[in-house]
Amino acid sequence: MAENRVHQHDHDDQTELLPCVEDLYGGVSVNMEKPMDSTVFAPLLQASISQWREKGKKGIWIKLPIEHANLVDVAVKQGFRYHHAEPDYLMLVFWIPETTDTLPANASHRVGIGAFVMNSQREVLVVQENSGKFKGTNVWKFPTGVVDEGEDICTAAIREVKEETGIETEFVEVLAFRQSHKSFFSKSDLFFVCMLRPHSFDIQKQDREIEAAKWMPIKDYAAQPFIRGHDNFNYIAKICIAKSEVEGYASFSPLSTKTTSGKTSYLYFNGDLKNQLSCDNQKQKMPM
Amino acid sequence: MAENRVHQHDHDDQTELLPCVEDLYGGVSVNMEKPMDSTVFAPLLQASISQWREKGKKGIWIKLPIEHANLVDVAVKQGFRYHHAEPDYLMLVFWIPETTDTLPANASHRVGIGAFVMNSQREVLVVQENSGKFKGTNVWKFPTGVVDEGEDICTAAIREVKEETGIETEFVEVLAFRQSHKSFFSKSDLFFVCMLRPHSFDIQKQDREIEAAKWMPIKDYAAQPFIRGHDNFNYIAKICIAKSEVEGYASFSPLSTKTTSGKTSYLYFNGDLKNQLSCDNQKQKMPM
């Protein structure tokens, strides 16, 4: 097959094209898995674009593994722009039609969690961090962290608490979330305040990120000048206190569901309704 | 200053370095605003890395505007990896120490909204799309869309409803949200189900994306085989019905707050508590 293509190339330059697959949106995707000299790539790409244009193709995607960084400049010079990058590859895209592109947007948000973990003595699990903006401030804060790529929010909250403090927990609810912008580069941030129920109580702090960790009366946590002096921290403390005191503070529980493409996802919604719907489902599934 | 550097360069190659600024995390950032030949860039980058290493620097960032794509390959060959890319630039990073890097993660999620808009006759605003996976399925669905970079969820929901149907709305609450993975490339998706109150009722559909739009009895919406047959759609329909019927379906309302760096952000939490806290704040702010 490869020989055949080389053969065609000898006789007719226009028939040699980059290998590609068509997508459902009238576009094509090129995955450059093998190395190629940029002087070979340039005419091949040019011929391919001509052919795609003739065929009425719209969005052209080229995924370049980082080993083939030598081809980036060639693609850019032929009209491609960057779409997104991960550590090991760069995705470029070229919209052929004259119309406005309908290409999917790049990922725009990083997702973080804060963990509200309270024991039966109304003490919350708090840490002091040894780097970042809280370093040296003596502020006691909830364990927080970034949700890993592909990780569920409820899983990330349990993982972060375990990593930072050694405490085993069970996920209960999302009490609140905050959206903020330009939190790193031009990207936005979604931060979920998660309530977890502790299943162990002896703290074993992680040394790399955590200076100190302890159980602290929730009133003392909320009374810290830093917490009181900062809008978001202050509200979140009030929400947690309300949740711990007031029956009526309804929040969102996760329910494992399937997406239309059959993948598992979590739907977070009012916990009372979740229990009711789960009950209904159980009844439907019970043998007659 | 520039003259001085050129002067040094004539006498001692090692003192010529790329212009950079230090960050708060022991790293440096290089912003290549001006064009440079790759043969000039290569030795300059090499000398700079040596100097940064001697100084104990950690994360080295290079932001390359797409016009300078000719420098990508040079940076990669000297050990840089991709961090993220936007249409007009590529951010590369190099972690100098032997330790595991503590560099911030790339954005991992795209954020979307679905709009539940019901009138006083218990009819919901629904559309049929003329592209994508719903094209030609005759499924009536809520208006949906992607939250733009830097846009608030509550603003995006109002915008999408207006764009797709011409209906003016007011944001009320987030009723639920869903997190799913690998929804595009390797990225994840957060989808917020938003309730909006309509302020106008005459539909003027947008032609580009929307095949048809109408007000439809909520029971009929929920009874569609597609909705009933798909887990997430089915649950979301039940949540919206519960919200429209049950007093106790508490959901999350947005409150404008300030982040620690003084930016405006929205905190979404239990609407009843929000009203109570807002009231408390009003009282505090009232003149004695």
Side-chain angles (χ1 to χ4, degrees):
Chain A
M1 187 64 189
E3 271 185 357
N4 190 30
R5 282 227 311 277
V6 173
H7 180 71
Q8 289 179 345
H9 182 58
D10 288 341
H11 293 86
D12 177 6
D13 241 60
Q14 294 309 303
T15 61
E16 171 89 9
L17 298 175
L18 289 168
C20 66
V21 292
E22 306 201 347
D23 65 32
L24 294 171
Y25 302 90
V28 298
S29 293
V30 178
N31 191 352
M32 295 296 298
E33 285 175 353
K34 291 181 185 161
M36 189 180 280
D37 195 90
S38 60
T39 57
V40 176
F41 182 63
L44 213 49
L45 180 59
Q46 196 165 19
S48 301
I49 291 173
S50 296
Q51 174 124 352
W52 293 323
R53 192 187 300 271
E54 274 174 37
K55 286 186 174 172
K57 292 297 172 195
K58 295 177 179 173
I60 312 298
W61 300 87
I62 299 183
K63 183 176 179 177
L64 286 180
I66 195 164
E67 308 87 75
H68 311 331
N70 61 313
L71 307 181
V72 173
D73 195 33
V74 174
V76 169
K77 287 210 165 58
Q78 297 200 16
F80 281 75
R81 67 165 175 86
Y82 303 142
H83 185 270
H84 69 276
E86 292 299 320
D88 59 345
Y89 77 86
L90 175 62
M91 184 71 82
L92 297 109
V93 70
F94 179 31
W95 182 251
I96 294 184
E98 298 292 312
T99 58
T100 309
D101 80 65
T102 56
L103 299 166
N106 193 358
S108 54
H109 286 65
R110 192 166 52 175
V111 177
I113 59 91
F116 167 49
V117 185
M118 191 167 83
N119 65 20
S120 57
Q121 285 87 56
R122 296 186 59 74
E123 292 170 327
V124 288
L125 183 62
V126 290
V127 299
Q128 288 185 343
E129 293 176 354
N130 61 19
S131 68
K133 65 181 172 187
F134 288 100
K135 181 182 175 177
T137 61
N138 290 324
V139 175
W140 291 101
K141 58 186 282 296
F142 292 165
T144 55
V146 175
V147 175
D148 287 338
E149 180 160 307
E151 188 179 35
D152 291 311
I153 290 163
C154 47
T155 309
I158 293 170
R159 175 184 56 73
E160 284 287 350
V161 170
K162 174 75 179 167
E163 279 178 13
E164 294 193 355
T165 68
I167 298 295
E168 304 276 355
T169 57
E170 169 194 351
F171 189 87
V172 184
E173 286 181 317
V174 169
L175 303 188
F177 64 88
R178 188 203 66 205
Q179 186 192 23
S180 55
H181 302 299
K182 295 199 181 294
S183 71
F184 65 116
F185 307 112
S186 63
K187 299 297 185 177
S188 302
D189 194 272
L190 270 163
F191 178 79
F192 291 85
V193 181
C194 301
M195 185 167 91
L196 296 96
R197 188 176 296 128
H199 284 192
S200 74
F201 302 92
D202 288 339
I203 292 170
Q204 290 192 302
K205 83 168 182 73
Q206 179 215 57
D207 293 332
R208 189 163 58 89
E209 296 171 16
I210 305 300
E211 187 65 33
K214 67 172 182 178
W215 294 99
M216 181 183 206
I218 189 167
K219 295 278 182 208
D220 296 351
Y221 165 80
Q224 294 178 95
F226 180 90
I227 304 293
R228 289 171 56 102
H230 288 88
D231 228 14
N232 268 298
F233 284 87
N234 197 22
Y235 277 115
I236 289 171
K238 284 179 179 170
I239 291 166
C240 292
I241 289 174
K243 179 69 194 178
S244 72
E245 289 175 347
V246 183
E247 283 256 331
Y249 189 86
S251 35
F252 287 178
S253 307
L255 178 73
S256 176
T257 58
K258 295 280 180 196
T259 65
T260 49
S261 50
K263 285 175 295 193
T264 299
S265 64
Y266 278 104
L267 185 66
Y268 296 74
F269 60 103
N270 185 301
D272 295 336
L273 181 67
K274 188 204 131 190
N275 293 336
Q276 187 195 316
L277 293 181
S278 301
C279 254
D280 292 351
N281 261 9
Q282 284 297 323
K283 280 184 207 151
Q284 282 169 18
K285 283 176 189 163
M286 273 168 66
M288 302 295 275
Chain B
M1 187 65 187
E3 273 187 353
N4 190 30
R5 282 227 310 276
V6 172
H7 179 72
Q8 288 179 345
H9 181 57
D10 290 340
H11 293 84
D12 175 5
D13 238 60
Q14 293 308 303
T15 60
E16 170 88 9
L17 298 177
L18 289 167
C20 67
V21 292
E22 306 201 347
D23 64 34
L24 295 171
Y25 302 90
V28 298
S29 294
V30 178
N31 190 352
M32 295 297 298
E33 285 175 354
K34 291 183 186 159
M36 190 180 281
D37 195 273
S38 60
T39 57
V40 176
F41 181 63
L44 213 49
L45 180 59
Q46 194 165 22
S48 300
I49 292 173
S50 296
Q51 174 125 352
W52 293 323
R53 192 188 299 273
E54 273 174 37
K55 285 185 172 174
K57 293 297 171 195
K58 294 176 179 173
I60 313 298
W61 300 87
I62 299 183
K63 183 177 179 178
L64 286 180
I66 195 164
E67 308 87 76
H68 311 331
N70 62 313
L71 307 181
V72 174
D73 195 33
V74 174
V76 168
K77 286 208 167 57
Q78 296 199 18
F80 280 76
R81 67 164 174 86
Y82 303 143
H83 185 270
H84 69 275
E86 292 299 320
D88 58 345
Y89 77 86
L90 175 62
M91 184 71 82
L92 296 109
V93 70
F94 179 32
W95 184 251
I96 293 184
E98 298 292 312
T99 57
T100 310
D101 80 65
T102 56
L103 299 166
N106 192 356
S108 53
H109 286 64
R110 191 167 53 174
V111 178
I113 60 90
F116 167 50
V117 185
M118 193 168 81
N119 66 21
S120 58
Q121 286 86 54
R122 296 186 57 74
E123 291 169 329
V124 288
L125 184 61
V126 290
V127 299
Q128 288 185 342
E129 293 176 354
N130 61 18
S131 68
K133 64 181 172 187
F134 287 101
K135 181 182 176 177
T137 60
N138 289 325
V139 175
W140 291 101
K141 56 187 283 295
F142 291 165
T144 55
V146 175
V147 175
D148 287 337
E149 180 161 309
E151 187 179 36
D152 291 311
I153 290 164
C154 46
T155 309
I158 293 170
R159 175 184 56 73
E160 283 288 348
V161 170
K162 174 76 178 166
E163 279 179 11
E164 295 193 356
T165 68
I167 298 295
E168 304 275 355
T169 57
E170 168 193 352
F171 189 87
V172 184
E173 285 181 316
V174 169
L175 302 189
F177 65 87
R178 188 203 65 206
Q179 186 192 24
S180 55
H181 302 299
K182 297 201 179 293
S183 71
F184 66 114
F185 308 112
S186 62
K187 299 298 186 177
S188 301
D189 194 272
L190 270 163
F191 178 80
F192 292 85
V193 181
C194 301
M195 185 168 92
L196 296 96
R197 187 175 297 127
H199 284 192
S200 73
F201 302 92
D202 287 338
I203 293 171
Q204 291 191 301
K205 82 168 183 73
Q206 179 215 57
D207 293 331
R208 190 163 59 88
E209 295 171 17
I210 304 300
E211 188 64 33
K214 67 173 181 178
W215 294 98
M216 182 184 206
I218 189 167
K219 296 280 182 206
D220 296 351
Y221 165 79
Q224 294 180 95
F226 180 90
I227 304 293
R228 289 171 58 100
H230 288 88
D231 228 15
N232 269 298
F233 284 87
N234 196 22
Y235 277 116
I236 290 171
K238 285 178 177 170
I239 291 165
C240 291
I241 289 174
K243 180 69 194 179
S244 72
E245 289 176 346
V246 183
E247 282 256 331
Y249 189 88
S251 35
F252 288 178
S253 307
L255 178 73
S256 176
T257 59
K258 295 279 181 198
T259 66
T260 49
S261 51
K263 284 175 296 196
T264 299
S265 64
Y266 278 103
L267 184 65
Y268 295 76
F269 60 103
N270 186 300
D272 295 337
L273 181 66
K274 188 205 128 188
N275 294 336
Q276 187 194 317
L277 292 181
S278 300
C279 255
D280 292 352
N281 261 9
Q282 284 297 325
K283 280 183 206 149
Q284 283 170 18
K285 283 177 188 164
M286 275 168 64
M288 302 294 275

